[in-house]
């Protein structure tokens, strides 16, 4: 069975600083990986996803993530954050073999301070 | 291009009451998912439909939880005899064709509080 570990529950940073949100996964089959963002009182919005091909994936709002098969990681990065990036970020793995469900990590709360 | 909508947005129920949560997926989307998100946690899968067929209900926590999608569009998640541990945000998502790796589009959720 697939699982996802988000190593940091909270990440505080200053505006315009770089940020990395860490995600590790476990899976015995090939994986499809996702990062979603959740703003307060809103649903989840897709930031980016990795299905195959280039291991560096670019998403919306200046975010990118790198798939590392040997490290079983899919860390999310942004070179310079804004106040508006304050939100909860969820890493997810697509569960193959059966239903098309996503298995989510517990989330990382990113707080960008002025 | 309306997104996924859910109603009600907030629901307060007394312990033991039955509740019904509605999801309107994006028009034409074949697949529909329900997830439960407890406070401070990531969403957890409850059940999955492809059109009107419920293909996976392995995540439903008890037989008090029941979901249906009778005409392959709108779905209802029903919780009977609600308990305090049912308090959570219930998220609905839909995807166009239900293929592997396809993006799931989420609604805003229904926040259920059981007193």
């Amino acid at each position: 069975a697939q699982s996802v570990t988000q190593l940091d529950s909270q990440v505080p940073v200053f505006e315009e600083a770089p940020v990395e949100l860490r995600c590790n996964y476990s899976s015995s089959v090939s994986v499809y990986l996702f990062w979603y963002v959740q703003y307060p009182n809103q649903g989840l919005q897709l930031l980016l996803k990795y299905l195959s091909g280039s291991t560096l994936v670019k998403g919306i709002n200046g975010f990118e993530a790198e798939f590392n098969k040997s490290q079983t990681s899919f860390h999310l990065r942004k070179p310079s954050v804004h106040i508006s990036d304050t939100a909860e970020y969820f890493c997810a793995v697509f569960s193959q073999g059966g239903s098309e469900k996503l298995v989510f990590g517990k989330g990382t709360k990113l707080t960008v301070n002025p | 291009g309306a997104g996924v909508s859910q109603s009600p947005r907030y629901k307060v129920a007394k312990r033991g009451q039955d509740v019904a949560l509605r999801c309107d997926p994006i028009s034409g989307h074949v697949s529909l998912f329900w997830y439960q998100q407890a406070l401070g946690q990531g969403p957890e899968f409850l059940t999955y439909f492809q059109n009107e067929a419920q293909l996976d209900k392995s995540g439903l926590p008890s037989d008090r939880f029941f979901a249906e999608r009778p005409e392959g569009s709108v779905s209802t998640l029903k919780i009977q005899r609600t308990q305090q541990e049912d308090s959570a945000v219930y998220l609905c998502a839909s995807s166009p064709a239900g293929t592997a790796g396809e993006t799931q589009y989420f609604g805003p959720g229904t926040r259920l509080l059981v007193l």
Side-chain angles (χ1 to χ4, degrees):
Chain A
Q2 290 89 349
S3 67
V4 173
T5 302
Q6 291 185 246
L7 297 162
D8 305 298
S9 59
Q10 297 188 57
V11 173
V13 295
F14 288 110
E15 193 174 18
E16 297 182 8
V19 71
E20 177 180 84
L21 306 183
R22 296 181 292 169
C23 172
N24 287 86
Y25 67 91
S26 68
S27 176
S28 58
V29 298
S30 59
V31 292
Y32 301 143
L33 293 156
F34 302 76
W35 275 99
Y36 279 84
V37 60
Q38 187 175 37
Y39 298 103
N41 297 317
Q42 294 187 29
L44 282 77
Q45 179 183 4
L46 181 71
L47 277 177
L48 49 80
K49 65 182 180 182
Y50 171 78
L51 302 182
S52 64
S54 173
T55 56
L56 183 63
V57 182
K58 293 190 183 296
I60 62 171
N61 300 342
F63 283 93
E64 63 181 33
E66 184 150 21
F67 171 62
N68 187 320
K69 188 174 182 179
S70 62
Q71 304 276 337
T72 61
S73 67
F74 191 54
H75 300 332
L76 181 71
R77 302 186 183 100
K78 186 169 182 177
S80 176
V81 293
H82 302 133
I83 299 283
S84 59
D85 292 323
T86 294
E88 189 98 28
Y89 291 79
F90 293 95
C91 182
V93 62
F94 176 79
S95 175
Q96 299 195 54
S99 79
E100 315 297 321
K101 67 183 180 186
L102 291 172
V103 176
F104 287 88
K106 292 188 175 184
T108 297
K109 171 66 176 172
L110 174 65
T111 303
V112 181
N113 298 301
Chain B
V4 178
S5 60
Q6 294 185 245
S7 61
R9 290 293 311 275
Y10 303 91
K11 177 70 178 176
V12 179
K14 291 184 180 178
R15 190 160 55 98
Q17 272 187 323
D18 297 349
V19 298
L21 312 181
R22 177 188 170 106
C23 172
D24 282 83
I26 294 172
S27 178
H29 277 197
V30 167
S31 294
L32 186 145
F33 306 81
W34 284 98
Y35 293 86
Q36 180 190 59
Q37 186 177 18
L39 191 64
Q41 302 294 315
E44 291 194 359
F45 171 78
L46 292 176
T47 188
Y48 160 62
F49 290 86
Q50 196 165 73
N51 295 307
E52 68 277 2
Q54 189 175 20
L55 299 186
D56 187 345
K57 53 181 180 179
S58 62
L60 296 176
S62 77
D63 58 7
R64 297 186 295 105
F65 286 71
F66 172 76
E68 60 183 5
R69 194 186 184 199
E71 297 178 358
S73 55
V74 170
S75 177
T76 304
L77 176 67
K78 298 179 179 177
I79 309 173
Q80 297 177 323
R81 305 181 303 281
T82 52
Q83 304 294 315
Q84 286 188 318
E85 62 263 29
D86 300 335
S87 295
V89 176
Y90 291 85
L91 296 168
C92 176
S94 69
S95 65
T99 55
E102 196 172 56
T103 298
Q104 294 181 20
Y105 298 86
F106 283 80
T110 294
R111 186 176 298 272
L112 173 65
L113 177 62
V114 182
L115 301 176

